[in-house]
Structure formats: C-alpha cells, structure tokens
Amino acid sequence: MNRGRAAALATALVVLVLTLFLAFLADPWSRSASHLGREGLAAFAVGAVLFRAAIAEGSRWIPWFRGLLVVACVGGWFNYYQRSAQTVAGIDDLSDITFYYLNSKYLDELGHYGLYPAMMLADLETADRHASAVEVVRDLRDDQLKPSALAVADGQRVKAGFGPERWEAFCHDADWFLARQDRGEVRYIYVDHGYNPPPTWSIVGGRLASWVPVERLKAAALVDVALVAGAFLAVGFSFGVEPMLWAMLFFCSTFSGRWPVLGQALLRFDWLTALVVGMCALKRDRYGLAGGLFGFAAASRVFPAI
C-alpha cells in the first residue's frame, strides 16, 4: 500500500472512530430530525456522484474519496436508526408487523378478510379490552369503514373456522400486539388495509411466524437485517467495495428503505435481497441462480416483475 492510500485509510479510520464516539455521546434523534438527516445525506450523495465523475480512475484522490464514502455510510446508518439503541433493538411501529405476523400465522382460518373481525372478537373475550374505543373498522371485503359492532358479529363466523387451541393461541397473540400500542395506534390498525401480500409470500412469511413465538417477535424481524446485510456483501464481492458503499448510501437516504424500518417488520425486504443478489449472480455468470432469484422477487411482491 502506497503512502497516499495509507494516509487516506488512516484518516478515514480516525474520522470513523470520532463519528462513533460522538454518536454515542449524543441524545437520540427524533424521526423528523432523522428525515432531515436523510435529505442532507442525499444532497451529499449528489455532490459525491459529480465529484466521482470528475476524477479519473487511479487518481490520488480515489482513496480519500472512498474513505469519505465510508464515513458517510457510517453516519447514514446512525441517522437511519436515529442514534437510538431502542430503535435498533425494538419495534417502534407495530402496525405493519401486526398484520403480517398474525394473518400469515393464522391464514388458514382467517383468509385475507377475517383478521379485523377476529381481532375485535378476541379482544372482547379478554379482560383487557384494548379495542373498546374503536368505533369503526374497515371491512376488507369491500374496503369500506363500518361500525365496529358489525365486525364483532362477523368475528363469530371467523371464530367458527378455528379449533379451540388455535383460537386460544390467536387470542393470546392478538392481545400481545394490542397491549403494546396506545389507543390512537389501535384505532389506526382497524382502519388500515390489513394483510395483502401475494399468496407466495404467505408460504414463507407464515412459516416464519409459526416458528417464532410472538414473545420473540424481534428475532423474526431480524431476518430482514441478515438478508439485507447479505445483499450488501454480495454487491461488494461481485462488483467491489465502492459500489457496495454507494448501495448503502442509497439505502440510508431513500424513504423506500426507511419504512418500515429494517429490523422492525416481517420479511419486508426479501424481494429486494433477491433482486440485488440476482444482479450479482448475473455479474458472475450464474444465470440459473439469477433467474430463480428474480422469479422469487416477482412472486413475493409482484411489482419487481412490473
């Protein structure tokens, strides 16, 4: 390694250490501050693209530039998780994972329309009554908001499709989710659009939800983290470190990667991993693997095919 590269690497490491140190000293950022940070990161990325286009490959500025990308990515990841250990270790927004965990786990009994009626009835049968303030519920069959009493009545029909043990397990899981959300969040759950992935996603997601008890929900959500980390490693292995850093920079700054937060939802990024690793497979002339991954992405989320 020549002196220029060594100096650039040393400088990047020093700045990286200082970034980590200052990040742990600072208070967590609010969500709005994190969004502002993403805008700043995106602006930096635009400038970085223009600067990178202006310098020739082999220039003495390349090591310094790549060191700056490393620092930007580290700062981007801290901003992504709002410099908050709770955001990393917990689940801030339970609405999405409520739908996808519960409905995929009990899909045989609920179908695609029975989640809300079943949750309303299950809540009535517990002593907690978390949904007592819910006045309207979206009927997923016609997408209309209707009085909650109608949902409770329909819940009896849905319950008839459960065996006693499965219904008891569903009531336990539903109560676990509702107990961890305030009244406003509970109201939102019942007027959202529920569970609507392609059937192929339900095979994988339902299996994962069945394997992981609700008390260990975070473990199921962390599968996405492992998948996306694997995708970045595949980019680095197939295209090089700099393209991997650009990919990270994009992920940290785009809103499409921010909701739901990586590590707080159930298999929301499986299709993205399949697309990215599929491109890496094409780069390495593994055409069968690439086709299989592209097919999985299309079957799991439909829009990758579009």
Side-chain angles (χ1 to χ4, degrees):
M1 181 181 294
N2 60 40
R3 290 184 179 180
R5 288 176 179 267
L9 179 60
T11 303
L13 288 175
V14 169
V15 175
L16 183 60
V17 170
L18 287 174
T19 301
L20 293 170
F21 179 71
L22 292 174
F24 279 113
L25 284 180
D27 292 330
W29 281 349
S30 66
R31 182 170 295 188
S32 59
S34 178
H35 290 335
L36 186 62
R38 287 191 303 105
E39 293 176 10
L41 195 65
F44 164 81
V46 171
V49 168
L50 296 175
F51 180 76
R52 183 65 177 85
I55 56 177
E57 194 66 42
S59 166
R60 64 188 180 90
W61 292 106
I62 293 294
W64 296 94
F65 176 78
R66 290 175 178 170
L68 187 61
L69 278 183
V70 170
V71 173
C73 286
V74 172
W77 281 113
F78 272 98
N79 178 70
Y80 181 90
Y81 286 108
Q82 301 171 226
R83 294 191 311 195
S84 167
Q86 175 58 36
T87 304
V88 174
I91 299 177
D92 294 333
D93 185 348
L94 280 167
S95 59
D96 185 80
I97 202 167
T98 297
F99 306 141
Y100 281 80
Y101 180 91
L102 283 178
N103 214 145
S104 65
K105 186 173 182 178
Y106 299 98
L107 183 62
D108 289 346
E109 295 88 355
L110 296 174
H112 280 78
Y113 306 121
L115 177 62
Y116 290 162
M119 287 182 69
M120 287 295 295
L121 182 62
D123 187 61
L124 280 176
E125 293 185 2
T126 66
D128 298 324
R129 301 293 302 277
H130 301 295
S132 59
V134 174
E135 297 176 352
V136 293
V137 176
R138 188 175 300 278
D139 188 334
L140 298 174
R141 293 170 294 188
D142 57 15
D143 207 39
Q144 299 299 308
L145 294 177
K146 299 178 181 179
S148 58
L150 295 180
V152 173
D154 193 39
Q156 295 289 348
R157 176 189 61 80
V158 178
K159 179 182 177 180
F162 282 80
E165 291 184 1
R166 288 279 286 179
W167 178 251
E168 183 180 354
F170 174 79
C171 290
H172 167 268
D173 290 350
D175 186 69
W176 189 94
F177 282 104
L178 294 175
R180 284 158 178 78
Q181 299 175 73
D182 62 33
R183 287 194 171 190
E185 292 169 328
V186 171
R187 287 194 187 98
Y188 171 77
I189 282 179
Y190 285 102
V191 299
D192 201 351
H193 297 278
Y195 179 78
N196 45 35
T200 45
W201 186 94
S202 297
I203 297 172
V204 181
R207 184 65 62 185
L208 177 60
S210 297
W211 285 340
V212 181
V214 70
E215 290 81 7
R216 299 186 63 184
L217 185 67
K218 184 63 179 180
L222 287 176
V223 172
D224 262 349
V225 176
L227 290 175
V228 172
F232 286 133
L233 288 175
V235 171
F237 184 70
S238 301
F239 292 94
V241 173
E242 187 175 323
M244 180 186 73
L245 293 174
W246 282 113
M248 285 188 179
L249 198 59
F250 175 79
F251 188 90
C252 289
S253 58
T254 177
F255 187 78
S256 297
R258 181 63 180 77
W259 193 92
V261 174
L262 180 63
Q264 296 195 7
L266 187 68
L267 289 184
R268 274 295 199 167
F269 294 96
D270 57 339
W271 66 271
L272 177 64
T273 298
L275 279 180
V276 171
V277 178
M279 293 302 295
C280 295
L282 281 182
K283 172 70 173 176
R284 305 185 67 82
D285 298 328
R286 301 291 298 275
Y287 303 114
L289 176 60
L293 289 168
F294 293 152
F296 175 84
S300 180
R301 288 293 173 186
V302 179
F303 60 82
I306 300 173

